[in-house]
Amino acid sequence: MSSLLVLNGSPRGSHSNSMCMMSPVIEGWKSSGAPEPEVLHLAQRGEFERAIEHFPAADTVLLGMPLYTDAMPALVKLYIEALAPYVESASQRDQKPTLGFLVQSGFEEALHSRPLEHYFEKLARRLGSPYAGTIVRGSGWSLPLMPENENRALVTHLRALGNQLARNRRFSEAELRVVAGTERFSPTAAAWLSLAFSSPAAIPNSHWDRALEKNNVWDRRYAAPYADALPT
Ligand SMILES: Cc1cc2nc3c(=O)[nH]c(=O)nc-3n(C[C@H](O)[C@H](O)[C@H](O)COP(=O)(O)O)c2cc1C
């Protein structure tokens, strides 16, 4: 029976949205009869080291993370750079871990995470590993916040992906498309959202306005402390 190493790349560790989204994938993996995966949080120093050590012996690795400023968190980049020795040795080894990825973002549209997906496909090639695919999902915050019945369909599809990973070492394209949800807003929806965010009374801004007031920095909301450092 093949082994799975699950790596959580969120700096928020075990309470992160990334972990919340990977949990059903793990359940799906186990539902196939495959053994309990090892789960490591890269944000924990000791676990980060173990994640490097355990990488080459795993049959399958699932690396999940949030999207931070349209990229992977620095922690994940650091981890990938630590795998450099395996790039050199990839051609010499017969058995390479199959690599699967999960990227979840704050914004709803899946397209924000697509550049990372392309990067991961290339990374698997460079490491000489079979590529299982990348699970992409927007509105990652909703899974821990929304009631169970709102999340039921998503959780079911994430479990199905975990089961596919165990049985086929590959996510199905059809399941990945369903989990991705909104790929891109329609022009009409985009126009409405743009209006909502640009209006002075924008409802989406109220959360941030309250945080500014609570922290007594409302008067400094347009401060640009690094503006002078910009090249002219
Ligand atoms: C520093 C930072 C940068 C972020 N950048 C983006 C971004 O560029 N695009 C996006 O859709 N969400 C962005 N987000 C939102 C996170 O992707 C989202 O809240 C995610 O669910 C957090 O997952 P976690 O709990 O696993 O860390 C950012 C969040 C933080 C804290």
Side-chain angles (χ1 to χ4, degrees):
M1 267 290 173
S2 68
S3 67
L4 173 66
L5 175 62
V6 177
L7 304 176
N8 172 20
S10 169
R12 297 176 64 220
S14 56
H15 299 297
S16 58
N17 299 341
S18 303
M19 203 55 233
C20 229
M21 206 159 286
M22 284 199 288
S23 295
V25 183
I26 294 172
E27 284 165 21
W29 166 274
K30 290 195 291 189
S31 73
S32 73
E36 181 83 30
E38 179 179 26
V39 180
L40 296 172
H41 304 285
L42 299 184
Q44 304 284 332
R45 188 178 285 271
E47 297 192 22
F48 183 96
E49 300 303 329
R50 273 213 298 290
I52 299 167
E53 284 163 26
H54 292 192
F55 177 84
D59 296 310
T60 304
V61 177
L62 174 66
L63 171 59
M65 72 208 69
L67 188 71
Y68 274 11
T69 45
D70 287 333
M72 67 186 87
L75 188 59
V76 176
K77 186 77 169 48
L78 201 65
Y79 178 71
I80 289 172
E81 283 169 7
L83 299 179
Y86 301 120
V87 174
E88 276 96 62
S89 61
S91 55
Q92 291 135 33
R93 281 180 302 126
D94 303 331
Q95 196 69 40
K96 293 128 195 164
T98 296
L99 300 184
F101 301 87
L102 180 149
V103 185
Q104 52 84 26
S105 63
F107 293 134
E108 188 176 333
E109 294 164 294
L111 64 87
H112 294 276
S113 302
R114 296 299 179 199
L116 263 190
E117 178 184 15
H118 292 307
Y119 171 86
F120 289 135
E121 196 171 353
K122 191 171 170 186
L123 175 71
R125 261 202 314 277
R126 290 195 69 199
L127 288 166
S129 281
Y131 175 63
T134 299
I135 303 172
V136 165
R137 176 74 188 189
S139 300
W141 47 267
S142 67
L143 201 53
L145 287 185
M146 300 302 268
E148 206 182 315
N149 59 329
E150 293 280 328
N151 289 328
R152 195 164 294 136
L154 174 60
V155 165
T156 303
H157 288 293
L158 288 168
R159 282 195 190 125
L161 285 169
N163 190 277
Q164 288 167 4
L165 188 63
R167 284 187 296 108
N168 312 330
R169 295 264 185 110
R170 175 107 203 160
F171 302 129
S172 90
E173 291 296 328
E175 205 71 53
L176 287 174
R177 258 196 309 280
V178 175
V179 164
T182 309
E183 186 63 32
R184 186 186 194 127
F185 290 134
S186 68
T188 317
W192 275 111
L193 281 166
S194 161
L195 202 67
F197 275 91
S198 58
S199 130
I203 297 166
N205 284 341
S206 60
H207 165 80
W208 308 107
D209 289 351
R210 273 202 307 278
L212 286 165
E213 281 167 3
K214 195 171 139 206
N215 290 294
N216 291 323
V217 289
W218 176 256
D219 294 341
R220 286 191 279 143
R221 64 191 180 282
Y222 295 116
Y226 299 108
D228 291 344
L230 289 173
T232 47

mmCIF file of all heavy atoms in Angstrom, residues 52 63 82 111 113 135 140 180 206 211 228:
data_model
loop_
_atom_site.group_PDB
_atom_site.id
_atom_site.type_symbol
_atom_site.label_atom_id
_atom_site.label_comp_id
_atom_site.label_asym_id
_atom_site.label_seq_id
_atom_site.Cartn_x
_atom_site.Cartn_y
_atom_site.Cartn_z
ATOM 1 N N ILE A 52 11.624 17.738 4.653
ATOM 2 C CA ILE A 52 12.724 17.595 3.677
ATOM 3 C C ILE A 52 13.255 16.155 3.720
ATOM 4 O O ILE A 52 13.419 15.505 2.689
ATOM 5 C CB ILE A 52 13.863 18.594 3.970
ATOM 6 C CG1 ILE A 52 13.338 20.031 3.878
ATOM 7 C CG2 ILE A 52 15.029 18.386 3.011
ATOM 8 C CD1 ILE A 52 14.283 21.070 4.456
ATOM 9 N N LEU A 63 1.187 18.766 -1.414
ATOM 10 C CA LEU A 63 1.648 20.029 -0.834
ATOM 11 C C LEU A 63 0.550 21.078 -1.012
ATOM 12 O O LEU A 63 0.207 21.440 -2.140
ATOM 13 C CB LEU A 63 2.954 20.462 -1.540
ATOM 14 C CG LEU A 63 3.509 21.856 -1.240
ATOM 15 C CD1 LEU A 63 3.797 22.037 0.245
ATOM 16 C CD2 LEU A 63 4.793 22.099 -2.042
ATOM 17 N N ALA A 82 14.817 23.876 -0.802
ATOM 18 C CA ALA A 82 15.549 22.850 -0.042
ATOM 19 C C ALA A 82 15.509 21.490 -0.750
ATOM 20 O O ALA A 82 16.257 20.582 -0.390
ATOM 21 C CB ALA A 82 14.964 22.729 1.360
ATOM 22 N N LEU A 111 -8.803 31.652 -11.321
ATOM 23 C CA LEU A 111 -7.729 32.066 -12.240
ATOM 24 C C LEU A 111 -6.538 32.690 -11.519
ATOM 25 O O LEU A 111 -5.420 32.653 -12.028
ATOM 26 C CB LEU A 111 -8.258 33.014 -13.320
ATOM 27 C CG LEU A 111 -8.818 34.382 -12.935
ATOM 28 C CD1 LEU A 111 -7.718 35.429 -12.846
ATOM 29 C CD2 LEU A 111 -9.853 34.818 -13.950
ATOM 30 N N SER A 113 -4.961 31.543 -9.103
ATOM 31 C CA SER A 113 -4.000 30.502 -8.702
ATOM 32 C C SER A 113 -3.412 29.737 -9.882
ATOM 33 O O SER A 113 -2.545 28.887 -9.688
ATOM 34 C CB SER A 113 -4.694 29.503 -7.760
ATOM 35 O OG SER A 113 -5.193 30.182 -6.629
ATOM 36 N N ILE A 135 -5.090 20.981 -7.122
ATOM 37 C CA ILE A 135 -6.444 21.355 -6.715
ATOM 38 C C ILE A 135 -6.433 22.865 -6.495
ATOM 39 O O ILE A 135 -5.624 23.369 -5.715
ATOM 40 C CB ILE A 135 -6.849 20.657 -5.397
ATOM 41 C CG1 ILE A 135 -6.737 19.139 -5.539
ATOM 42 C CG2 ILE A 135 -8.245 21.080 -4.956
ATOM 43 C CD1 ILE A 135 -6.926 18.378 -4.217
ATOM 44 N N GLY A 140 -11.226 30.466 -0.052
ATOM 45 C CA GLY A 140 -10.762 29.426 0.872
ATOM 46 C C GLY A 140 -11.214 29.650 2.305
ATOM 47 O O GLY A 140 -11.316 28.697 3.080
ATOM 48 N N ALA A 180 -12.840 23.704 -8.574
ATOM 49 C CA ALA A 180 -12.355 25.067 -8.824
ATOM 50 C C ALA A 180 -13.481 26.094 -8.722
ATOM 51 O O ALA A 180 -13.233 27.264 -8.405
ATOM 52 C CB ALA A 180 -11.682 25.140 -10.191
ATOM 53 N N SER A 206 -16.457 47.784 4.685
ATOM 54 C CA SER A 206 -16.839 48.066 6.067
ATOM 55 C C SER A 206 -16.002 47.261 7.070
ATOM 56 O O SER A 206 -15.650 47.757 8.137
ATOM 57 C CB SER A 206 -18.335 47.818 6.276
ATOM 58 O OG SER A 206 -18.611 46.472 5.988
ATOM 59 N N ALA A 211 -11.783 47.750 11.267
ATOM 60 C CA ALA A 211 -10.457 47.365 11.795
ATOM 61 C C ALA A 211 -9.567 48.598 11.946
ATOM 62 O O ALA A 211 -8.832 48.729 12.931
ATOM 63 C CB ALA A 211 -9.804 46.344 10.882
ATOM 64 N N ASP A 228 8.604 57.509 -0.426
ATOM 65 C CA ASP A 228 9.840 58.204 -0.780
ATOM 66 C C ASP A 228 10.906 57.234 -1.299
ATOM 67 O O ASP A 228 11.855 57.655 -1.966
ATOM 68 C CB ASP A 228 10.418 58.937 0.452
ATOM 69 C CG ASP A 228 9.503 60.099 0.812
ATOM 70 O OD1 ASP A 228 8.675 60.465 -0.040
ATOM 71 O OD2 ASP A 228 9.625 60.608 1.940
#
